[in-house]
Amino acid sequence: MTLQEYDYARESPSKLAASCLLLALTMKNLGGWTPTLEYYSGYSAQDLHPLVKRLNFLLTYQPRDKLNAVRSKYSHRVFFEVAKVTPMDMLKLEETLTGS
């Protein structure tokens, strides 16, 4: 989805991928950012928090009237219907990321 948004063009692909992974781990309650992930990605969890919040905001307030090809493709069960996953509540995401 970020490929369709100009605001994400300035982000490095590795940071964007790491932030997407952290958001997915958080959304599915699969644990947090481990030392192994930090080592191999080169990013600490704190480095990723602002971008993770922006990504969740994008999922929450995505425009529904245009550019539906990606959403349609990833709504199919072949892709595990990931486009249908409910975004996290922004306050709950903040609490989870900060450990409060």
Side-chain angles (χ1 to χ4, degrees):
M1 290 186 60
T2 60
L3 292 174
Q4 302 171 13
E5 299 292 330
Y6 184 74
D7 292 342
Y8 293 91
R10 68 174 181 229
E11 300 294 344
S12 73
S14 62
K15 188 172 186 179
L16 192 56
S19 297
C20 288
L21 177 58
L22 178 55
L23 179 58
L25 291 170
T26 306
M27 289 173 79
K28 291 300 206 173
N29 201 22
L30 295 173
W33 202 245
T34 65
T36 303
L37 289 170
E38 183 173 340
Y39 176 80
Y40 285 107
S41 72
Y43 298 106
S44 70
Q46 290 75 24
D47 295 338
L48 303 176
H49 287 178
L51 187 51
V52 169
K53 292 176 197 173
R54 286 179 49 216
L55 289 166
N56 192 62
F57 186 84
L58 176 65
L59 291 173
T60 304
Y61 298 105
Q62 57 187 309
R64 304 259 181 216
D65 57 336
K66 57 183 180 174
L67 303 173
N68 288 316
V70 172
R71 189 174 306 103
S72 176
K73 177 180 178 178
Y74 289 98
S75 292
H76 195 273
R77 74 171 204 251
V78 170
F79 296 103
F80 303 101
E81 299 178 331
V82 295
K84 296 179 181 178
V85 174
T86 306
M88 287 191 73
D89 176 71
M90 295 301 276
L91 292 175
K92 183 176 180 184
L93 177 63
E94 177 72 30
E95 289 173 1
T96 304
L97 292 175
T98 58
S100 305

